[in-house]
């Protein structure tokens, strides 16, 4: 190489390979084209053979095990993922790591971001102290609720955009392939029972029981919000389904259903209703153990209802995820409404 490249440059590359060669080979091991370049470079610039061998085994082994895992669980759907996206993802990760390293190795850049961060943090702290702190615990509810509401709204907006652009097919195929690995007679029976818990008659029954109990305890606004969570989420779901008009999956369905698919009504309404019931239990009970257990139980129930809709072939995974996002948005609105009423009526629960 001395005939084409200056001796000083060769020595510099050797030093870089001795210092970073192992990491370079390990990162490149996930992408076949750069990996070949780095294997040639490792030989030319005399990287430590033990380091080269270990980095190659770990990186290439991890890549091939990942591909095998995807093929095992996703079947033919994995071919599309591997051929279309795997190389792009791994190359993007490598470029991102390199850019982050180049940015943060320069002191001026680090100092700039530190100064910017301190300035922003100071402004946020001043705003919080002047506007939020005087509201007490209600202010914390407001900040967290607005953040969650925006998050749910952005998630739904992204799914809706991908639906209109016909970009949800791969995601749906992957998740359906994973869920269908659970198939079996017993599991089918279990999923039918779970999906019925998210059906209108059952949820109306739960809501009526909760409303009666709350009215007996003279928690009028709590009872009102249970009805609002149920009725409001159902009405919003009907409006969204009529707006998007997505047909249901063509695969064999294990239960009979009608209507449009996006977003899932079971997922959306169960998230709003059971989420509200979990929240009311949390703020009205004193037992920390009982509050935690009931909240986890409702959360698992809602997730199970969503999975059951995919398993039974009546919804795409993106329908369920969109239902969770829309239901979460409505739930946050109901909780913020209830806390606002409690705050202005002087019945705000003490911080726990």
């Amino acid at each position: 190489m001395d005939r084409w490249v200056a001796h000083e440059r060769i020595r510099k590359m050797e030093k870089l390979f001795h210092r970073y060669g192992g990491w370079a080979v390990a990162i490149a091991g996930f992408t076949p084209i750069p990996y070949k370049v780095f294997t040639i470079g490792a030989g030319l610039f005399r990287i430590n053979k033990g380091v080269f061998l270990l980095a190659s085994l770990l990186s290439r082994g991890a890549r091939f095990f990942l591909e095998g895992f995807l093929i095992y669980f996703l079947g033919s759907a994995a071919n599309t993922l591997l051929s279309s996206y795997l190389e792009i993802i791994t190359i993007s990760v490598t470029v991102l790591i390199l850019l982050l390293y180049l940015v943060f190795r320069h002191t001026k850049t680090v100092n700039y971001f530190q100064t910017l961060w301190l300035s922003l943090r100071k402004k946020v702290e001043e705003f919080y102290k002047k506007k939020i702190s005087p509201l007490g615990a209600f202010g914390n509810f407001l900040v967290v609720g607005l953040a969650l509401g925006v998050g749910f709204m952005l998630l739904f907006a992204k799914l809706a955009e991908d639906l209109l652009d016909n970009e949800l097919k791969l995601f749906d195929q992957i998740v359906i392939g994973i869920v269908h690995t659970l198939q079996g007679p017993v599991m089918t029976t279990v999923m039918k029972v779970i999906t019925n818990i998210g059906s209108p008659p059952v949820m109306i029954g739960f809501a009526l029981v909760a409303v009666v109990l709350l009215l007996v305890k003279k928690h009028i606004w709590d009872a009102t919000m249970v009805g609002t969570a149920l009725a409001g989420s159902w009405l919003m779901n009907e409006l969204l389904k009529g707006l998007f008009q997505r047909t249901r999956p063509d695969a064999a369905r294990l239960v009979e259903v009608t209507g449009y698919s996006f977003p899932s009504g079971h997922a959306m309404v169960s998230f709003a209703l059971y989420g509200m019931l979990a929240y009311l239990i949390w703020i009205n009970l004193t037992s920390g153990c009982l509050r935690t257990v009931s909240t986890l139980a409702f959360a698992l129930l809602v997730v199970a209802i969503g999975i059951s809709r995919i398993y039974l072939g009546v919804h795409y995974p993106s329908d369920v995820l969109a239902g969770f996002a829309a239901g979460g948005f409505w739930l946050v609105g109901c909780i913020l409404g209830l806390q606002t009423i409690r705050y202005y009526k002087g019945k705000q629960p003490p911080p726990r």
Side-chain angles (χ1 to χ4, degrees), residues 95-107 109-110:
V95 172
L96 178 62
I97 293 173
L98 180 60
L99 289 176
L100 289 174
Y101 169 76
L102 292 175
V103 168
F104 288 103
R105 68 176 293 188
H106 293 91
T107 306
T109 305
V110 175

Side-chain angles (χ1 to χ4, degrees), residues 12-31:
K12 184 177 180 180
M13 288 300 299
E14 286 182 348
K15 289 180 180 179
L16 289 173
F17 259 88
H18 278 286
R19 187 174 182 181
Y20 303 110
W23 289 107
V25 171
I27 294 173
F30 287 96
T31 54

Side-chain angles (χ1 to χ4, degrees), residues 64-214:
F64 295 142
F65 272 110
L66 174 62
E67 292 179 353
F69 176 83
L70 292 174
I71 292 172
Y72 177 79
F73 281 100
L74 305 182
S76 58
N79 293 330
T80 304
L81 176 66
L82 294 173
S83 61
S84 302
Y85 297 102
L86 188 61
E87 303 302 339
I88 296 175
I89 293 172
T90 54
I91 292 173
S92 299
V93 169
T94 303
V95 172
L96 178 62
I97 293 173
L98 180 60
L99 289 176
L100 289 174
Y101 169 76
L102 292 175
V103 168
F104 288 103
R105 68 176 293 188
H106 293 91
T107 306
K108 290 184 179 179
T109 305
V110 175
N111 290 338
Y112 170 77
F113 281 110
Q114 286 178 341
T115 303
L116 180 62
W117 162 249
L118 291 174
S119 175
L120 290 175
R121 189 176 70 176
K122 184 178 180 180
K123 291 180 180 179
V124 171
E125 289 175 348
E126 290 177 353
F127 175 82
Y128 190 88
K129 184 177 180 180
K130 292 180 180 179
K131 302 294 185 180
I132 305 300
S133 291
L135 299 177
F138 175 66
N140 296 330
F141 270 105
L142 193 62
V143 171
V144 175
L146 289 175
L148 288 174
V150 171
F152 283 127
M153 182 176 64
L154 291 176
L155 174 59
F156 183 86
K158 175 60 178 173
L159 290 168
E161 180 187 18
D162 289 347
L163 172 65
L164 297 176
D165 293 337
N166 197 28
E167 295 178 353
L168 292 172
K169 184 177 180 180
L170 179 61
F171 169 76
D172 288 332
Q173 286 179 339
I174 292 173
V175 179
I176 289 173
I178 294 173
V179 173
H180 281 180
T181 60
L182 305 174
Q183 282 185 336
V186 176
M187 184 58 69
T188 299
T189 303
V190 171
M191 288 296 176
K192 287 182 178 180
V193 172
I194 292 174
T195 208
N196 284 332
I197 300 176
S199 63
V202 175
M203 287 195 289
I204 291 173
F206 272 111
L208 288 175
V209 171
V211 167
V212 171
L213 291 175
L214 290 168

